[in-house]
Amino acid sequence: MNSHNKNNIESTISTPKRRRLGTGRIIRASQIMNSNNDLSDKFTSHRWKHTPKKITLVDGCDSPPLPCNQVEYLSDSGNNTSEDIPCSPGILESCFVKDGENWKSFVISNNKTVSSEVANEIDDISDDMFQSKLEQESSQQNHIDEEILTSRCEKHFRDEINDGFEAINQSISVIKNDRDSFMETKDSFLLDIGECITDIVTQPSQINKAVKLVNRNNVPKDNFYQLPKITKGLFKTYRNIEKLYDWQEECLNLDAISERRNLIYALPTSGGKTLVAEILMLREVMNRKHNALFILPFVAIVQEKIWSLSPFAVQLDFLVEEYAAGKGHIPPKKRRKKNSIYIATIEKGLALIRSLIELDRLDEIGLIVVDELHLIGEEGRGGTLETLLTTVIFANKGIQIVGMSATIGNLNEIAQFLHADVFQREFRPVELTEYVKLGNVLNRIVWNENGMELVPDRQLKYDYTAAATSLDPDYLGGLVSEVVPAASCLVFCPTKKNCENVASLLCKLQRKEMLTHRAEERNAVARALCAEGGAALARLVRCGVAFHHAGLSADERALLEAAFRSGAVSVLCCTSTLAAGVNLPARRVIVRAPRVGRRALSLAAYRQMAGRAGRAGVCTAGESIIICAEREWAELRGVLCGGVAAARSVLVERVPALLLAGVALRLARDRPALRRLLRCTLLAVTHAHTVDMNQCCDEAIRSLLQSGALEVVNKSSRLEPGDDNSENNRCYVFNDSELVVTKVGRAAIKGCMDLAVAKQFLSDLEVASRSLVLMGSLHLLYLVTPHDAAGLRPDYRHYYSLYRNLDEEGVQTSKILGITEMNAIRMMTGKPITNVPEIVLCRFYIAMMLHDLWKQVPFPEVAEKYCIPRGTVQMVMGSAAAFASCAVRLCEELGAWAFRALLAELAPRLQHCAAPDLQQLMELPAVRKARAMQLMRAGYKRVEDLAKASADDLVSSISHLSRTAASHLISAARMMLIEKVENLRAEAEDVMEELVVK
């Protein structure tokens, strides 16, 4: 804006008697609706500086800019790597007046109301990290009755709006020079708003209606599926989504959604299920002002979702909070001015729900969305998920539960358990063609009324040499070369070792055009992998091929995933876990063999793999090919025609933990209530004819009484004396018996631990309390190692060599645990060790590994030293971090303040085991050590530095960082800072409430 225009604005808006507006946070309520409810966009703002006589325009604030509607978008996912996608579009408010007289035209009948949007914002001020505080002058306003308002609106309203939008458009010319802005002068996004508002007041008969619309507090809900219109721009910018599929619209308009009934919707992979869930969660936090909980199966997916939702949160004024591994506040912070979407793993989600119930705050959550609902039938995590959902249903707080999955064989039973409606469709936006390779013939799978039919498609024949034919009799190289490097290909292999072997084979069989494709980018990825210790992997990447499995570190997997999405890596050989864990669509999917590990391939696993072929916005078609030997075809045919297996309850072993939590949380205090709780489970649905629920409940109560986790308050029940393992030991509990949780049982629930694990941990604490080694962190790290030793069993000869090199701290800690020189000699000679439990030996082995990571020894070196895959090292570190956070809560419940203080620092340090200066940057989602070091070298040493950066600056200073990734990184940094501010605000408000009460 030139100085002439600036002076004009100063002169026209000067008035001593008015309330002064500054740039505030995104004003949720500042929406003016026209007769078609098509107006919900926010305005652009400037920062105004007040002086006694006039208001001076100063530099614009660092707010995120509006989304630009004139940009091409190339992808429908948050993982887009296009260089053309703008960074962190946002919203700026308008706070402008033309003169004192026009300002008064916005004053409504009393001196506390100024244009409902503005008035509400003045009454409810909220600080924002990136926008200045909305200030309010104490000057008195003239009283104007509603008749005067109407007459002045008729005369001034249109001119006011037109002049205001002219000021906005002039301001955009200034903002445009900022590289963090993506708007053009007089952007159509703003002009459309101006036209709509002008149309409202075209006729005098519409004046009163316009005044009423201006005074509404709620955002118009019908602009983009009951969300503000700005949401449409965000989905366009970040997901390339302008209109939903027919099934998505149908699902969002279901009676179950409008009436807040529970719902399960099932569609094939890549059908767009997650988008519906996101819209429902946005409605919950923005319209209903309740929090939402999103349950995801893996930590990596949690971080990916945090990454993709951060821009929405920053610009739509809500929070996205991560609950995975050691992250997340238990209980969550109580916020009064912002709502949150909690993104959580299954285990963390259960801990969060229990903490809210304990504080009687469960009604803060209005919606729970469960992705991959079929996992409820999986051993281990399935019982935890069922416990979570059962607890929510039994608590009966009116929380809506929405589950989604591509593969559920018993939808009706799951729906009966959740009291849910079912919505099921067979829809794929991109056509999938399925093939089976039998011998040298590629057969197309045709599904019809009679089931599955194979139709021969073509005979495979490639220009293989004799040597190539002996190396690759299945023509795997030829099938891959048909689509690469022009498109991408995923090859699913049964085992991790097979992934590596197939990747090496494909490198030998690729043609010249494949070897020279995007060589510079491949070399850059290879150098990054070498820095992570993946030299063998780097050699494959230079040929455009890589392998991907759980044995790789998170940094390596992240590098490969980004390279595959960008097209630098054309072929990825992976295990079946990638199908359910990472969003990596491909043009062609090849299933190397009809097996997963040593087990036969299930239909659910096959559909997950085949579903990765083709994705809207990425591929125009998709193909899946499963390679099958003639002798295996009969078995595979039975699997493909047999239907998806039912997700049956696996809760039987966890019934005592469920009942213990029910008593601890005061949901059920006696035997009849516990029986009702058990009848709310999926177990009562899927095992109704095989398990006696009453007997199962009584046995669980008995075991809890015997273990000391439960006690009986009255005299109506008794536990006969005797050995716990004696068959004659009987417990009598009557219907009027009141049950309470003991201190140990409550601590186990508080720490979200199984009772057996909690008891073992307390036993370890008892030993440590007598002789804790504080020469370093080794003994403390032993306390938080996984109690199942993560399934690791070390080579004892190698164990002996590590023991010999222990320093004084290590020797003292091993002695406390009972590991002596005599044991070490037995390790060397191969004799059995009888005086120390094997689990203690395995846990100490892991503790030594964690100790090296704690001292910031690089991952590759640690993995090589302890003969453990890099991915397993990282998995164990994450498990230890999660257990450390649980242990802190358990110690807090037991009053063990000394151990609580000692263990409190373990969880955050174990998250990354990085240098202190990198620690903060690595708290950002999807930022690993390599990226954190890049940011540090580029001068971004703090999260605050990233929050203030522009996408252009990041892209120019960080190598191999796309504009989209830079955009998300900035939004994630801003989201983290906003969350910190809101945490401080919540603490301050709690203190003020206590003072008021006193």
Side-chain angles (χ1 to χ4, degrees), residues 151 232 265 504 527 685 693:
S151 63
K232 180 177 181 179
Y265 60 97
S504 298
R527 288 193 297 271
V685 176
M693 290 296 114

Side-chain angles (χ1 to χ4, degrees), residues 47 115 184 188 203 251 265-266 592 821 897 995:
R47 183 174 298 159
S115 170
E184 298 180 3
S188 62
Q203 301 177 7
C251 184
Y265 60 97
R592 178 70 181 84
E821 186 72 27
W897 61 268
L995 292 175

Side-chain angles (χ1 to χ4, degrees), residues 681-699:
T681 62
L682 179 63
L683 180 68
V685 176
T686 60
H687 293 72
H689 303 296
T690 58
V691 177
D692 186 329
M693 290 296 114
N694 290 339
Q695 182 181 351
C696 181
C697 179
D698 292 344
E699 289 177 356

